[in-house]
Amino acid sequence: NIPTLFLDGIQIQHAILNLLNNAADAMNNKGTIEISLQAEGESVVVRIKDNGPGMEKQVQENIFDPFFTTKKAQKGLGLGLSITYRLITRNGGTIDVVSEPGKGSEFILTFDANNTKDLET
């Protein structure tokens, strides 16, 4: 019983693909990524969880900042998660991360199931 959401499908697809690519990179393409979608009260929640190396708190505090990266030179510009953040919030959602070194990371996308306003451009 997942309610219909009024979102920009291309933007949400782009955001989720960014998260999946980052998870695969963090795990060196070895590991597990779990994706779930569920209704929680008045919200629809997408969870993307990996069993990669996880992140320190200091890294978590900066991951949505433009040009912040933990990747080696020429492996990334540090724009993927800042773009992801903007795409999710532009569609009326929130994005949070739960992570612990050695225990993987989980990104939680939350959308208001009652939000039918026009999308921000």
Side-chain angles (χ1 to χ4, degrees), residues 26-38:
M27 297 184 302
N28 294 318
N29 295 312
K30 299 174 188 170
T32 303
I33 300 172
E34 299 175 20
I35 304 171
S36 68
L37 172 70
Q38 60 193 82

Side-chain angles (χ1 to χ4, degrees), residues 53-80:
M55 294 178 271
E56 299 282 346
K57 285 286 183 201
Q58 182 180 0
V59 171
Q60 292 177 53
E61 292 170 1
N62 294 292
I63 60 172
F64 299 119
D65 295 343
F67 304 108
F68 178 82
T69 184
T70 60
K71 295 179 181 179
K72 294 179 182 177
Q74 299 177 351
K75 289 281 186 174
L77 297 174
L79 293 174

